[in-house]
Amino acid sequence: MSRWRPPADKSTALITPEGHARLKAELDDLWRVRRPEVVRALSAAAAEGDRSENAEYTYRKKQLGEIDRRVRYLSKRLESLRVIDAAPSDPAAVFFGAHVELEDTGSGALVHYRIVGPDETDAKAGWISIDSPLARAMLKKRVDDEFEAQLPGGPVRFAVLAVDYRAA
């Protein structure tokens, strides 16, 4: 069986100012704090002698590779991202950065979401990617509009109760 996987779909290169700051802080932490610590530990493990049976050396090499991979990804990704820090020209409609309150018309359950870039999604906080099926279905909808979204559990109908572009 082959390990080849088709390339992932291109994600939208939009991000909120808060998300951009978080990614920059992560890159800075990886490059200035964590990587030097791992390099020091790797040097100490390498100085212990036989590297073929040195678990600490193997672990630190793997850890350094993971940090370098993430640093490369963040460096390239931060260059390609476009920071969206202003509300759209039509703040009554759902677009990137919107805080949206929805009602599931079938169950009557209320849910709150914020539409953010794919690099800053957080399910616990209710931050969903603009690339998600739910966000795609609600784009350009207004208060009192109904729409149907294809979710993993099947199609669900929602009604838009509120749209807001307040800061995080």
Side-chain angles (χ1 to χ4, degrees):
M1 179 176 227
S2 163
R3 293 176 65 181
W4 181 84
R5 301 229 189 313
D9 293 339
K10 286 281 188 188
S11 60
T12 305
L14 300 177
I15 194 165
T16 63
E18 307 87 38
H20 191 262
R22 265 193 306 278
L23 289 182
K24 284 185 83 162
E26 179 186 355
L27 177 61
D28 190 56
D29 179 61
L30 285 171
W31 189 250
R32 298 185 192 281
V33 178
R34 292 198 40 219
R35 191 175 192 285
E37 288 172 359
V38 171
V39 168
R40 277 192 295 279
L42 180 63
S43 296
E48 292 176 7
D50 186 12
R51 295 178 186 174
S52 64
E53 296 179 11
N54 189 335
E56 178 72 11
Y57 177 79
T58 305
Y59 171 72
R60 295 299 181 177
K61 283 288 281 189
K62 191 176 289 188
Q63 193 177 25
L64 185 61
E66 291 167 1
I67 289 171
D68 287 345
R69 197 169 8 281
R70 183 69 178 164
V71 164
R72 268 192 313 275
Y73 172 78
L74 288 174
S75 298
K76 288 180 182 177
R77 187 67 178 164
L78 283 168
E79 289 175 3
S80 67
L81 290 172
R82 200 172 100 217
V83 178
I84 306 295
D85 57 355
S89 58
D90 183 8
V94 177
F95 291 105
F96 181 84
H99 293 265
V100 184
E101 183 177 359
L102 303 174
E103 177 184 3
D104 181 334
T105 57
S107 68
L110 297 178
V111 289
H112 301 271
Y113 294 111
R114 181 174 187 203
I115 299 176
V116 295
D119 297 294
E120 52 186 332
T121 59
D122 182 355
K124 289 181 182 176
W127 291 15
I128 61 172
S129 169
I130 192 164
D131 295 332
S132 70
L134 180 58
R136 289 278 180 211
M138 76 171 88
L139 286 176
K140 298 182 184 176
K141 301 296 186 268
R142 299 171 178 281
V143 174
D144 295 330
D145 283 355
E146 288 192 13
F147 66 94
E148 186 172 291
Q150 287 293 338
L151 302 181
V156 180
R157 288 199 64 75
F158 291 99
V160 179
L161 300 180
V163 178
D164 186 18
Y165 288 93
R166 66 185 179 272

